[in-house]
Amino acid sequence: MRLGGRLAAAIEVLEDIERRHRPAADALKDWGLSHRFAGAGDRAAIGNIVYDGLRRKRSAGWLVGDDTPRAIGFGALLLEWRETAETLNATLEGDKFAPPPLDADELATIASRNLADAPDVVRADCPDWCAPLLEQVFGPDWVEEGAALAARPPLDLRVNTLRADRAKVLAELEGTGAVASPLTANGIRIPPIDGSGRHPNVQAEPAFQKGWFEVQDEGSQIAADLTGAAPGMQVLDYCAGAGGKTLALSAAMENRGQIFAHDSEKGRLAPMFERLRRSENRNVQVLSKPAELERLEGQMDIVLIDAPCTGSGTWRRRPDAKWRLTQRQLDVRRGEQAAILDAAKAHVKPGGLLAYVTCSVFDAENRDQIEAFLAREKRFEPVDHAALWQQNFSGKADAARIDPARGISLTPARSGTDGFFFAALRRTA
């Protein structure tokens, strides 16, 4: 397929997403199943246009002068593919599968507009109702932070130190663009893709099949590091999901001590078993029933809460979720987070640590939750988060926003990671 056909297909997918309010991945999968003639390169390019359009929906639409899927598709190519209106129209000319080229009104609008002059909410590429939430957190930097959440993400990996080291994995991945991550000791980063490119299928690599590494954003790796899990400890991963942080904690503990992996929805735990087998993490017990947690009350050195959240910190990877998110969903998540904090605290032993993590950038899910918990629970106090960061990431203070009493925030603009929040609370009695 030529670019015109790929653009037409992307517009079709964007229309499907808008009409049916469905996830982008589902819409792209269905398009691929009904257009089997499209090769892997075509599907990747179409997906890039769709995801670029969703990430840059506000700015793409503003640039072209409309908010239709057509305008967003064209705008994505202008913003992310180094196309100009003139080169794009020249490329589409004579392509019977391409959408109609930019018309005179669209060309005039594009020529008259400079994104630097766009309204703040457009440059931040966020929904109107989220703009005050971002400004509350980031102050004068909120537009820059929002724009970073709309950029293409890298592909991050975590070396499984039970089976390999970083030099060994980097050697295996030679030719993929993989380099050492900037912050974590065991992280590897493959830079964001360019244009119609695609990241390598690292899960097809023999090194992955042998359990040498896992796919995990560096922000998630940092959160696991900050818990301070060490050999011999008793650790509960209270919202373990598919087990990304569970495996990271197990490796840090060198398979000594015990990790209990639990999730209130046991279906989320299903992928963990294959990951444990491949990685040779042997100190993990998966607990799917709430009753199984009773024996752990007051026994854990660390209880990790990877709380359900809006996922606003992952908008680079799931940009369609940005436009489906509502205030009601945020309110529901806040209630769930408070309830989980109140339930999980019972398992922390005196002197133990309650670690709270979200992949959100909103204060309502992060700092506000910690303040509310400390107000109603007097047996816990915050650690010195500035000292904790310095202990783990000395010389890299500028990579995080640190509130010594309330927590540590990571963002694409500041740390190059997804948006994450981490807070550690010590049980005093």
Side-chain angles (χ1 to χ4, degrees):
M1 297 172 69
R2 294 163 59 185
L3 180 59
R6 290 170 170 180
L7 174 57
I11 292 171
E12 182 182 337
V13 174
L14 288 166
E15 289 171 342
D16 182 30
I17 293 168
E18 181 180 86
R19 182 177 64 254
R20 299 170 65 184
H21 305 286
R22 63 199 308 236
D26 292 348
L28 284 163
K29 180 180 179 181
D30 285 353
W31 187 92
L33 290 173
S34 61
H35 298 78
R36 294 184 181 274
F37 63 84
D42 293 323
R43 293 194 300 272
I46 293 163
N48 288 351
I49 299 172
V50 168
Y51 276 95
D52 286 339
L54 292 170
R55 291 187 190 102
R56 306 295 303 276
K57 186 175 180 180
R58 295 298 295 269
S59 53
W62 182 86
L63 185 63
V64 181
D66 208 341
D67 61 357
T68 64
R70 168 189 160 83
I72 292 166
F74 273 89
L77 292 179
L78 295 172
L79 291 171
E80 294 287 352
W81 291 56
R82 294 189 295 277
E83 294 281 355
T84 67
E86 293 72 26
T87 62
L88 190 49
N89 269 5
T91 299
L92 301 183
E93 185 177 355
D95 186 345
K96 66 179 182 179
F97 299 108
L102 295 162
D103 61 31
D105 288 341
E106 291 169 328
L107 289 169
T109 298
I110 293 166
S112 69
R113 292 191 166 180
N114 184 328
L115 193 57
D117 301 324
D120 286 347
V121 72
V122 170
R123 291 187 293 120
D125 269 301
C126 71
D128 286 339
W129 75 273
C130 292
L133 301 179
L134 294 176
E135 189 170 9
Q136 177 187 8
V137 178
F138 300 119
D141 298 329
W142 77 272
V143 173
E144 176 190 355
E145 292 282 357
L149 284 164
R152 287 184 173 187
L155 175 61
D156 287 349
L157 315 175
R158 177 187 58 80
V159 175
N160 176 19
T161 53
L162 297 173
R163 306 211 63 184
D165 58 37
R166 186 155 64 180
K168 186 175 182 180
V169 176
L170 284 171
E172 283 292 307
L173 296 178
E174 185 178 3
T176 65
V179 296
S181 293
L183 296 173
T184 55
N186 299 310
I188 289 174
R189 172 161 293 174
I190 299 174
I193 55 177
D194 184 59
S196 63
R198 50 180 170 163
H199 277 133
N201 181 12
V202 294
Q203 293 183 336
E205 294 285 340
F208 178 80
Q209 300 299 327
K210 291 185 285 188
W212 290 7
F213 66 86
E214 290 286 332
V215 176
Q216 186 177 23
D217 183 79
E218 190 177 26
S220 181
Q221 297 177 47
I222 289 170
D225 289 346
L226 290 170
T227 65
M233 285 186 172
Q234 299 289 301
V235 177
L236 170 61
D237 189 350
Y238 193 81
C239 303
K245 292 183 182 64
T246 299
L247 270 63
L249 296 171
S250 174
M253 295 167 65
E254 300 173 2
N255 266 338
R256 290 183 281 157
Q258 191 69 56
I259 299 180
F260 302 92
H262 169 75
D263 200 284
S264 61
E265 295 188 22
K266 61 183 179 181
R268 294 175 184 158
L269 296 166
M272 188 184 304
F273 296 97
E274 170 60 23
R275 298 176 80 180
L276 290 171
R277 182 201 63 75
R278 187 180 64 249
S279 62
E280 292 194 353
N281 294 89
R282 296 188 299 273
N283 65 334
V284 178
Q285 289 188 41
V286 179
L287 307 180
S288 61
K289 300 175 182 177
E292 295 175 310
L293 294 176
E294 294 177 3
R295 62 187 174 91
L296 306 183
E297 290 189 5
Q299 303 298 312
M300 298 293 103
D301 295 292
I302 299 170
V303 174
L304 171 63
I305 300 173
D306 191 0
C309 67
T310 59
S312 56
T314 66
W315 281 348
R316 297 187 301 175
R317 303 180 193 280
R318 299 179 60 242
D320 48 324
K322 172 165 56 174
W323 309 109
R324 293 197 306 271
L325 184 63
T326 65
Q327 178 66 53
R328 182 180 179 278
Q329 291 172 323
L330 173 57
D331 293 340
V332 168
R333 290 304 189 206
R334 291 176 64 193
E336 293 172 343
Q337 292 155 6
I340 289 170
L341 276 163
D342 288 341
K345 69 183 182 186
H347 304 290
V348 184
K349 74 179 186 182
L353 201 71
L354 181 63
Y356 176 80
V357 178
T358 75
C359 55
S360 172
V361 296
F362 298 150
D363 271 349
E365 301 181 90
N366 299 334
R367 178 189 172 96
D368 294 355
Q369 284 286 12
I370 297 304
E371 289 184 344
F373 177 77
L374 292 173
R376 65 180 181 267
E377 177 51 70
K378 304 304 182 184
R379 294 181 301 166
F380 287 81
E381 62 182 19
V383 305
D384 182 340
H385 290 91
L388 179 63
W389 181 266
Q390 174 66 16
Q391 176 185 337
N392 285 272
F393 302 103
S394 176
K396 301 172 182 177
D398 290 343
R401 293 175 183 268
I402 303 172
D403 181 335
R406 292 296 180 265
I408 297 167
S409 297
L410 306 170
T411 64
R414 180 65 70 92
S415 59
T417 68
D418 283 354
F420 276 90
F421 175 80
F422 177 92
L425 311 174
R426 183 78 62 189
R427 181 176 170 181
T428 58

